[in-house]
Amino acid sequence: MTISPLVKLGLRIATGVTLAFIYIPLAIIILYAFNTRRTLTWPIPGLTFKWFERALDNPGVRDALWMSLKAGLGATAVALLLGTLASIAVSRYRFFGRETVSFLVVLPIALPGIVTGMALNATFRTVLEPFGIGLGLFTIIVGHATFCIVVVYNNVIARLRRTSRSLEEASMDLGADTWQTFRYVTFPALRSALFAGALLAFALSFDEVIVTTFTAGADQTLPIWILANLSRPNQLPIVNVVAVLVILLSAIPVYFAQRLSRDTSGIAAPATAAAGARQ
Amino acid sequence: MQLSLLLAAPLGWLVLAYIGSLVVLFIAAFWRLDTFTAEIVHDYGFQNFRTLWESDVYRAITQRTVGIAAAVTVTDALLAFPIAFYMAKVAGPRARGLLVVAILMPLWSSYLVKVYAWRIILQEDGALNWSLGPLGLPGPGFGNVATWLVFSYLWLPFMILPLYAGLERIPNSMLEASGDLGGRTWMTFRRVIFPLALPALVAGSIFTFSLTLGDYITPQLVSSTQFIGNVVYANVGVANNLPFAAAFATVPVAIMIVYLLLARRAGAFESL
């Protein structure tokens, strides 16, 4: 079958329409951030920057942004460590239950977010509260790290599968110990995959809502702040600005991660695998 | 020895913090809430599951959740096919790369912001009613149609990407062979492309279906109807009835397990 010009034209139009469907709502929310009017009536009468200043001066927004950054960095650090360890174990060793490790890593995002959230919430309240650790930044980080591990794991393991073991063996034959081999051979090969994984883990943590509602207690991350302020008409102009901020801060890491990992399969696969964490 | 050092931390974390929590949650589904004292009583029984099964309300909520999840899955499959096929078989390498990025970015960008954007678009004096007004058409407003629309929007990239990967794997020679043997466009689609793309389609449907099943924020923001997730959330928070919430949460998990088993038989796991 050669694709006829008519079918090609149809496909091209369908592609354009689908892209418009995906991007128009995002464009509309960005326009609303510059809305001169307080209410959300469409079309907007004019454009202004004033809400950006108000948003950045808003103590609630600043606290939530700061909380989101701390949570994202904490979760990314934990996920980097645990995801890398697990991926090296699975790709470089044969052992009983090797398949189970991949399954375990994916599980926190494969299950509905509400199940993960509820389970962690119940455990935190029974195990941590007797020690005086309430829900807050620490429990947010634990929750986020749990579902961020898979992103690092998938990125690193894809890279490890493509880098030959013989380099590591050569290094050991030449007298390097395990740590030196890791430091001078394995790590440099993994560096960009680690960075891409870290960026994606941060993006994932930065706009997660559902697990966070169960683990945050009284603390607010940026998405939780949005959720709490949706019902306050007064705050909506600021909510619009925060929404744009969240789009930017999750899109920028993804863009760079995409460029870093070059071949799209390395990132598209974990992206689809990371589906569950969105919800 | 080295292996156990590598595995200790990640497995310890996942098994202790996560699997342990899940097991306790599952056990809690068999406890009950004493309605007088509002205390959770640890005697085991199927009372929560019996309530779920016998109540018309919970059955209607389950049916609505599964029905909309199925509708979203079909919608996304129909929307994703043309663009995925264009990316895989028509677009040049440069356009293809750009399109992959164009689909990936919204996949990763904030879930909540996207729902919020639709809430603004769908409201009474929002952009949708404004643009449909001159045509004399009413917008869907908030309700089941809105949930269906917003879910279809949210999960579309999750359908496009696996489908694109699946279509790209079909060798062009197969399409040429079909053409040489007299297969026209529709025939080639029905007899060659569709059967070969089916595992990828099922792989994508795992996401669209399961993500809809577990959600509670979208129904809350663009409708006043309840999904399984809304009932679960209300029971954990307001009613403080963890046993009942845990019991209802096993429903989407059980449905997904059955769905995954069926998907595996369709060969979808190789396409993930």
Side-chain angles (χ1 to χ4, degrees):
Chain A
M1 182 194 77
T2 48
I3 303 166
S4 75
L6 200 67
V7 173
K8 261 187 199 167
L9 182 70
L11 286 170
R12 199 161 281 144
I13 292 170
T15 302
V17 171
T18 312
L19 284 176
F21 175 58
I22 292 175
Y23 278 95
I24 285 175
L26 296 175
I28 287 180
I29 189 78
I30 291 173
L31 271 180
Y32 267 116
F34 299 96
N35 189 1
T36 41
R37 200 165 31 204
R38 262 186 173 275
T39 58
L40 297 175
T41 308
W42 184 265
I44 59 172
L47 302 173
T48 173
F49 267 106
K50 69 176 173 188
W51 304 118
F52 279 83
E53 286 166 36
R54 300 260 181 102
L56 293 176
D57 285 338
N58 184 306
V61 174
R62 296 173 87 128
D63 289 350
L65 176 63
W66 185 229
M67 179 62 73
S68 273
L69 289 174
K70 283 190 286 189
L73 291 175
T76 304
V78 176
L80 263 182
L81 180 68
L82 300 182
T84 311
L85 290 173
S87 59
I88 293 176
V90 167
S91 68
R92 293 295 188 247
Y93 294 87
R94 321 233 136 247
F95 55 92
F96 177 74
R98 207 166 68 110
E99 303 295 313
T100 326
V101 176
S102 314
F103 174 75
L104 258 180
V105 168
V106 179
L107 200 62
I109 53 167
L111 286 180
I114 195 163
V115 174
T116 300
M118 249 164 69
L120 290 175
N121 176 278
T123 307
F124 290 153
R125 289 203 308 199
T126 41
V127 178
L128 294 182
E129 255 164 35
F131 294 99
I133 305 171
L135 297 180
L137 180 61
F138 177 74
T139 51
I140 298 176
I141 291 178
V142 174
H144 284 194
T146 304
F147 62 73
C148 283
I149 294 174
V150 66
V151 192
V152 176
Y153 175 84
N154 277 353
N155 263 283
V156 175
I157 208 161
R159 179 67 53 87
L160 282 169
R161 288 205 175 115
R162 273 181 290 135
T163 50
S164 162
R165 272 210 76 163
S166 52
L167 284 176
E168 287 159 29
E169 283 161 359
S171 155
M172 302 287 246
D173 288 347
L174 292 168
D177 61 29
T178 316
W179 171 246
Q180 285 172 320
T181 303
F182 179 78
R183 171 77 184 76
Y184 294 107
V185 180
T186 317
F187 181 73
L190 292 183
R191 197 156 38 203
S192 65
L194 284 170
F195 197 56
L199 286 168
L200 291 176
F202 183 82
L204 202 57
S205 159
F206 198 79
D207 57 39
E208 209 283 336
V209 196
I210 292 189
V211 176
T212 318
T213 55
F214 286 95
T215 52
D219 284 339
Q220 287 188 325
T221 59
L222 224 36
I224 300 285
W225 184 90
I226 296 180
L227 198 59
N229 283 278
L230 281 185
S231 49
R232 297 184 195 154
N234 257 345
Q235 294 278 48
L236 287 181
I238 295 178
V239 171
N240 296 336
V241 172
V242 175
V244 171
L245 211 65
V246 173
I247 292 182
L248 285 180
L249 277 169
S250 56
I252 293 169
V254 173
Y255 176 76
F256 283 110
Q258 163 77 18
R259 296 203 46 182
L260 270 175
S261 57
R262 296 272 163 89
D263 66 324
T264 49
S265 64
I267 188 167
T272 40
R278 300 279 106 204
Q279 52 113 18
Chain B
M1 174 53 205
Q2 257 186 15
L3 178 64
S4 50
L5 277 178
L6 284 171
L7 279 173
L11 286 190
W13 182 287
L14 286 168
V15 173
L16 285 182
Y18 192 59
I19 302 295
S21 308
L22 285 178
V23 171
V24 173
L25 188 69
F26 185 69
I27 294 171
F30 298 92
W31 294 340
R32 67 186 174 84
L33 187 78
D34 189 312
T35 38
F36 291 110
T37 59
E39 295 273 330
I40 291 167
V41 185
H42 294 204
D43 26 303
Y44 294 86
F46 286 92
Q47 59 281 348
N48 296 317
F49 293 94
R50 203 175 306 128
T51 314
L52 280 177
W53 184 252
E54 284 167 358
S55 150
D56 290 338
V57 177
Y58 296 129
R59 200 176 304 166
I61 289 172
T62 308
Q63 279 165 358
R64 180 188 305 131
T65 309
V66 174
I68 290 189
V72 167
T73 301
V74 172
T75 312
D76 277 344
L78 290 174
L79 286 175
F81 217 103
I83 186 169
F85 190 80
Y86 180 81
M87 287 161 72
K89 295 293 175 200
V90 182
R94 206 180 133 72
R96 180 181 306 176
L98 286 174
L99 280 167
V100 170
V101 181
I103 304 299
L104 262 178
M105 301 263 284
L107 185 149
W108 283 93
S109 82
S110 176
Y111 159 86
L112 186 62
V113 169
K114 286 186 277 190
V115 185
Y116 173 60
W118 274 101
R119 189 176 145 97
I120 297 178
I121 292 168
L122 286 165
Q123 69 178 0
E124 193 62 44
D125 46 9
L128 192 61
N129 281 346
W130 176 82
S131 46
L132 289 176
L135 306 171
L137 297 168
F142 290 161
N144 281 335
V145 175
T147 13
W148 162 75
L149 180 65
V150 175
F151 277 134
S152 302
Y153 174 81
L154 288 171
W155 316 139
L156 182 58
F158 294 98
M159 181 64 96
I160 296 176
L161 286 174
L163 195 55
Y164 156 71
L167 287 169
E168 208 193 12
R169 277 196 294 267
I170 301 176
N172 286 331
S173 56
M174 293 246 189
L175 306 187
E176 284 157 21
S178 167
D180 291 346
L181 293 166
R184 302 278 189 97
T185 308
W186 173 244
M187 181 68 98
T188 306
F189 172 75
R190 208 166 57 89
R191 303 286 289 273
V192 181
I193 300 171
F194 185 75
L196 287 171
L198 192 63
L201 207 59
V202 176
S205 79
I206 293 173
F207 298 115
T208 56
F209 195 72
S210 81
L211 289 172
T212 313
L213 274 190
D215 202 284
Y216 71 93
I217 289 183
T218 300
Q220 183 188 317
L221 290 184
V222 299
S223 80
S224 50
T225 48
Q226 290 207 307
F227 269 47
I228 295 176
N230 300 91
V231 179
V232 172
Y233 186 71
N235 271 290
V236 181
V238 185
N240 207 15
N241 189 348
L242 183 71
F244 186 74
F248 210 178
T250 57
V251 174
V253 174
I255 294 173
M256 272 327 291
I257 289 172
V258 174
Y259 198 90
L260 287 173
L261 290 175
L262 291 175
R264 189 160 74 175
R265 285 183 63 180
F269 283 15
E270 287 76 41
S271 302
L272 280 179

